[in-house]
Amino acid sequence: MLTTLPTVAPLQLGSLRVGPPVVLAPMAGVTNAAFRRLCAEQGAGLYVCEMITSRGVVERDEKTLNMLVFADVEDVRSVQLYGVDPFYVGEAVKVLAGEYGVAHVDLNFGCPVPKVTRKGGGAALPYKRGLLEAILRAAVGAAEPYGIPVTMKTRKGIDDDHLTYLDAGRIAEDAGCAAIALHGRTAVQHYSGEADWTSIARLKEHVSIPVLGNGDIWEAADAVRMLEATGADGVVVGRGCLGRPWLFRDLAAALTGAPVPSLPTLGEVAAMMRRHAELLADLMGEDRGLRDMRKHMAWYLKGFVAGSEVRASLGMVSSLADLDALLGELDPAQPYPVAELGQPRGRQGSPRKVALPAGWLDETDGVTGDLADAELDISGG
């Protein structure tokens, strides 16, 4: 049986109150307005838009601005911003707050993908302590007149020989950030292996601002264990909710001391799939929305018994009518596959060398570096 904590205190981010203290991590191609609404219908929390670039916002890039779509139930508009230039980051925050009603900005310093790190962005950037501080101060300064909190997300470091998270925490606190989230992996690890929750506990001891833990929260019980083990002020959930938006229902129950609902049957999962597809169709139009839905099918059906023909057809579905017919072939009474509980979901991969700009590790300031190309074509990345 899942253990629960006594009601966990809400997360206080400036004037923004998040209770229970659960945050949906931005995931490229996943956390659009439809998916965020689906998760929000399951439980309270903070649901963050896909990552966008600061230059894309400032230069009015169409792809970037088209991602700034919010569901009508999103009382708190939250955006994760990527940037390497203090000027562009500050100006982007002004646009987001002043023109789009964004009430929370999270800065991404944790992305490990090569197209980002090889230009000095994402998880590579905190190695440049001076540049990190300049960016954070620009963002906090730009957000202050609007009264919105700025947070940052990072990893432990580039690799075990180049850890940056404790310095990043100190810099974030000094710059006026409302909180820092730590994914307990290095950039080298990507999403492989196990997250190091002890690093989250060390960061919590190191700073006085709220710390959010991220990594290997597959079930509500994992969130309970993480909070108990690390003393963190909240959790950030990413891959664990792929094909399982009801995880936010379970998290809300576990962190408020309420009974955790029973696992869904295949019929209930099918109803969730239908709701997801409907929301995507409303957001993008039926053809595009159903195409976008295809990648979610395997996640929803992971571990369930379903015919190979049905699975293949769901992976090519193009209309709500076709989806209804295919879902009707599933056994609604089939119980949830308990063997899948606690198992990793989504991308995992293996450790790999981090792509960095030439000479990146030679010095740790970085303020005078030229990163003009580091924000090109990576919104949603």
Side-chain angles (χ1 to χ4, degrees):
M1 179 178 292
L2 169 65
T3 59
T4 60
L5 291 170
T7 301
V8 178
L11 176 65
Q12 198 71 41
L13 303 176
S15 61
L16 180 61
R17 187 178 175 89
V18 182
V22 175
V23 179
L24 168 65
M27 291 178 282
V30 174
T31 55
N32 53 36
F35 187 77
R36 297 196 308 272
R37 177 172 188 148
L38 189 67
C39 293
E41 289 175 350
Q42 298 298 305
L46 184 63
Y47 301 91
V48 188
C49 178
E50 295 173 89
M51 184 182 78
I52 60 173
T53 70
S54 56
R55 276 186 64 180
V57 173
V58 175
E59 296 176 354
R60 309 289 172 163
D61 173 72
E62 183 178 4
K63 175 187 174 183
T64 299
L65 297 183
N66 285 343
M67 294 170 68
L68 291 171
V69 176
F70 300 92
D72 55 12
V73 298
E74 292 187 89
D75 296 330
V76 177
R77 295 184 172 188
S78 174
V79 171
Q80 186 175 77
L81 189 64
Y82 167 87
V84 298
D85 185 304
F87 171 78
Y88 279 108
V89 170
E91 291 301 302
V93 170
K94 294 175 186 177
V95 173
L96 293 173
E99 299 180 26
Y100 287 87
V102 169
H104 164 245
V105 172
D106 182 57
L107 296 177
N108 181 296
F109 300 107
C111 183
V113 301
K115 69 176 180 179
V116 174
T117 60
R118 71 163 50 99
K119 294 180 178 179
L125 195 142
Y127 187 77
K128 303 296 191 183
R129 275 72 162 177
L131 179 58
L132 176 64
E133 179 178 5
I135 292 172
L136 293 178
R137 289 192 181 278
V140 171
E144 188 173 9
Y146 300 94
I148 68 173
V150 173
T151 59
M152 70 167 284
K153 182 181 178 183
T154 191
R155 286 179 173 245
K156 290 172 59 180
I158 293 172
D159 54 37
D160 286 339
D161 293 324
H162 300 91
L163 299 177
T164 56
Y165 70 101
L166 294 180
D167 283 349
R170 173 187 53 78
I171 293 168
E173 182 171 4
D174 290 345
C177 288
I180 179 171
L182 178 62
H183 185 161
R185 287 181 170 88
T186 61
V188 160
Q189 288 180 273
H190 280 241
Y191 298 93
S192 66
E194 294 184 358
D196 174 19
W197 289 2
T198 62
S199 64
I200 299 169
R202 287 194 65 197
L203 181 59
K204 176 61 182 173
E205 295 173 350
H206 191 69
V207 299
S208 60
I209 58 175
V211 171
L212 305 178
N214 177 221
D216 295 356
I217 297 179
W218 311 114
E219 310 294 338
D222 296 325
V224 172
R225 289 193 303 107
M226 176 185 277
L227 293 179
E228 289 178 331
T230 67
D233 301 280
V235 296
V236 178
V237 179
R239 294 173 295 152
C241 68
L242 295 175
R244 302 175 69 239
W246 59 85
L247 178 58
F248 290 95
R249 174 201 68 180
D250 296 350
L251 287 163
L255 299 183
T256 58
V260 175
S262 58
L263 294 168
T265 63
L266 182 53
E268 291 169 321
V269 171
M272 188 70 70
M273 295 168 71
R274 180 57 166 79
R275 174 63 174 158
H276 192 171
E278 177 185 318
L279 291 172
L280 284 171
D282 288 345
L283 177 66
M284 306 176 177
E286 186 168 348
D287 180 67
R288 185 181 165 203
L290 269 293
R291 289 177 182 273
D292 190 80
M293 182 68 189
R294 293 173 182 176
K295 64 175 172 280
H296 295 272
M297 297 301 186
W299 292 328
Y300 275 110
L301 293 178
K302 193 169 187 288
F304 281 108
V305 176
S308 58
E309 291 186 8
V310 173
R311 287 181 182 272
S313 296
L314 284 169
M316 297 184 291
V317 69
S318 58
S319 71
L320 290 171
D322 289 346
L323 177 62
D324 288 339
L326 290 167
L327 293 179
E329 297 185 36
L330 301 175
D331 175 11
Q334 187 179 150
Y336 193 85
V338 293
E340 292 299 326
L341 297 178
Q343 296 301 309
R345 307 178 73 82
R347 55 187 171 181
Q348 296 172 58
S350 57
R352 66 185 80 167
K353 184 178 179 180
V354 180
L356 297 171
W360 188 253
L361 301 178
D362 292 348
E363 56 89 19
T364 61
D365 183 54
V367 173
T368 59
D370 181 9
L371 298 179
D373 294 331
E375 289 189 33
L376 300 181
D377 301 323
I378 61 169
S379 281

